[in-house]
Each structure stands twice: as structure tokens, then as C-alpha cells.
Amino acid sequence: MANKSGKDPGLETLLDLNGEVFPMESGYWTKFEARRVNPSDQIPHGIRYSLTLHDRNGHRVLGFDNAHPVKPKRLRFGARKLTWDHKHAQGKSEPYEFESADQLMEDFWASVDQILK
């Protein structure tokens, strides 16, 4: 979460991880991609990212990214918000509420741990 100054203390850590690949147990591996972009309606936080977990065959089994828009499930009487931050898991995409780089990494590693158990 951003601190009182509005800065995200984990942002530099996330940006430093750009291009890193981490071998995991049972042949799984993770890959981090993160770079600054100009803030826009689609990417208001100004970070283009992709954090992925792959199996031993290179298939993505988990991903947190903002590479394309995702339409959330239609609410009965509510408006639909088109979002770019999302999570891919078990063949499905669902919106992800980006709070901070720290929270993104925490959520990613928690999901990785859950899959590898």
C-alpha cells in the first residue's frame, strides 16, 4: 500500500525484479516482468506488469498482469467496469484490485504457495 507520501515502497523492488526467473519445486518456475509506463485510464498506477508461474512444461498456471482488459462478471443491476489488472488461474481470468506493488507481490506469492501445496 502506498505510504502517506503517496509513494509505493515496494515499487522499486518490483521494478528491480524485471526479467527475473525463479526456479521452484517440482520443476515449476516463476517469471517477473515490470516496467514504468505513463499513467493512463487503463493503467492509472503507471506500472505494466506480468508475474507468472509456469509448470515444468512451460505452461502458465498462474498469472497476475495488466496486458489486456478483462470484463468482470455482469452484475444484475450494476454497471460493469472494464479493468486491466487481473489474475489468470485455472483457465479463468478475473479482475484484480491493484493496491500497491507490495500487495501485488504478496498476493502473487500466496497464490503460488497455494498451487504448489
Side-chain angles (χ1 to χ4, degrees), residues 91-106:
K92 298 177 186 174
S93 294
E94 61 184 55
Y96 173 74
E97 190 67 39
F98 184 94
E99 294 177 26
S100 69
D102 271 339
Q103 189 64 52
L104 170 66
M105 291 184 288
E106 185 176 316

Side-chain angles (χ1 to χ4, degrees), residues 17-34:
L17 289 169
N18 184 46
E20 292 291 331
V21 174
F22 298 101
M24 308 297 289
E25 59 191 60
S26 302
Y28 284 79
W29 51 277
T30 61
K31 182 176 182 184
F32 282 68
E33 295 177 2

Side-chain angles (χ1 to χ4, degrees), residues 2-82:
N3 59 26
K4 289 180 184 178
S5 68
K7 298 203 181 218
D8 182 348
L11 179 57
E12 292 306 317
T13 301
L14 178 62
L15 294 171
D16 287 345
L17 289 169
N18 184 46
E20 292 291 331
V21 174
F22 298 101
M24 308 297 289
E25 59 191 60
S26 302
Y28 284 79
W29 51 277
T30 61
K31 182 176 182 184
F32 282 68
E33 295 177 2
R35 61 184 171 87
R36 289 183 197 270
V37 296
N38 289 327
S40 65
D41 288 342
Q42 295 83 17
I43 305 174
H45 43 68
I47 309 158
R48 171 76 94 195
Y49 64 87
S50 175
L51 284 59
T52 55
L53 171 68
H54 303 264
D55 66 17
R56 67 179 61 84
N57 298 315
H59 296 108
R60 181 182 68 183
V61 295
L62 173 70
F64 285 72
D65 69 71
N66 59 357
H68 58 85
V70 171
K71 292 180 185 176
K73 293 179 183 175
R74 181 171 219 131
L75 301 175
R76 190 168 177 174
F77 297 107
R80 293 189 325 176
K81 175 185 171 192
L82 188 65

